[in-house]
Amino acid sequence: MARNKREIDKEIMFNKIMPSSLLAASDPSEKSVSPADGSEPAPAVQNPQFIGDSGVKLQKKETTILVNIVEYLVTEKLDSAFAKFNCCKCDKCKKDVAAIALNKLKPKYMVIQPDRIPEVVAQQNSAEVATALVQGILQVRSHPRH
């Protein structure tokens, strides 16, 4: 059935505006050729950066995650804080101190790439974190749960 000019223009404009919709469409120019030995044909390899006949170049999507930077600061400083105080260093006590410190601190959530977490953590002020850890260690040392 023949399409009129208006329907064709809508489809072309949609594909230009939404290049991600072209990812699902297979390129008709790429056909799998069966080998001469009779084995299964190799699947057609598509280049994910160039899609469709128009050669639209898509950017690679960077994965980002939601993290609480204060959590990373607390876990980073936990062992050094325990080394300065004479108290139990078992896993249960460490988790109790971390929980107390995190409850005293204001969370700071960020949406960042996973490989940038150490860089962002290094830039944060850790004086409040050290204070909260000391308070947590003193509380757990005076009333341990084991």
Side-chain angles (χ1 to χ4, degrees):
M1 184 156 102
R3 293 183 179 171
N4 62 23
K5 183 169 176 56
R6 189 171 183 180
E7 288 177 357
I8 293 173
D9 289 343
K10 283 181 183 178
E11 185 177 333
I12 291 171
M13 291 308 295
F14 179 77
N15 289 338
K16 286 186 178 185
I17 293 171
M18 304 296 288
S20 61
S21 67
L22 294 173
L23 283 173
S26 62
D27 189 3
S29 63
E30 294 181 5
K31 296 180 181 176
S32 59
V33 179
S34 60
D37 63 354
S39 62
E40 289 187 27
V45 177
Q46 293 182 358
N47 187 352
Q49 289 187 351
F50 294 102
I51 298 170
D53 295 333
S54 63
V56 176
K57 187 172 184 176
L58 298 178
Q59 295 179 354
K60 292 182 182 178
K61 292 186 178 181
E62 300 283 335
T63 57
T64 56
I65 57 173
L66 176 69
V67 295
N68 183 359
I69 296 298
V70 176
E71 257 184 79
Y72 283 93
L73 282 169
V74 166
T75 56
E76 183 179 277
K77 305 284 183 191
L78 189 64
D79 289 330
S80 64
F82 266 93
K84 294 177 183 174
F85 289 89
N86 184 18
C87 62
C88 177
K89 294 178 176 92
C90 73
D91 192 46
K92 191 171 194 176
C93 288
K94 284 185 178 183
K95 287 180 182 178
D96 286 342
V97 169
I100 291 168
L102 286 170
N103 284 329
K104 290 179 185 276
L105 295 167
K106 183 179 175 186
K108 185 172 184 179
Y109 288 96
M110 297 179 87
V111 178
I112 58 174
Q113 298 165 354
D115 58 340
R116 292 198 55 223
I117 291 173
E119 169 187 326
V120 173
V121 168
Q123 295 173 355
Q124 300 298 317
N125 183 11
S126 62
E128 293 176 358
V129 173
T131 304
L133 281 171
V134 169
Q135 290 173 352
I137 288 173
L138 294 175
Q139 186 176 344
V140 169
R141 188 170 72 175
S142 64
H143 302 292
R145 292 195 316 152
H146 55 79

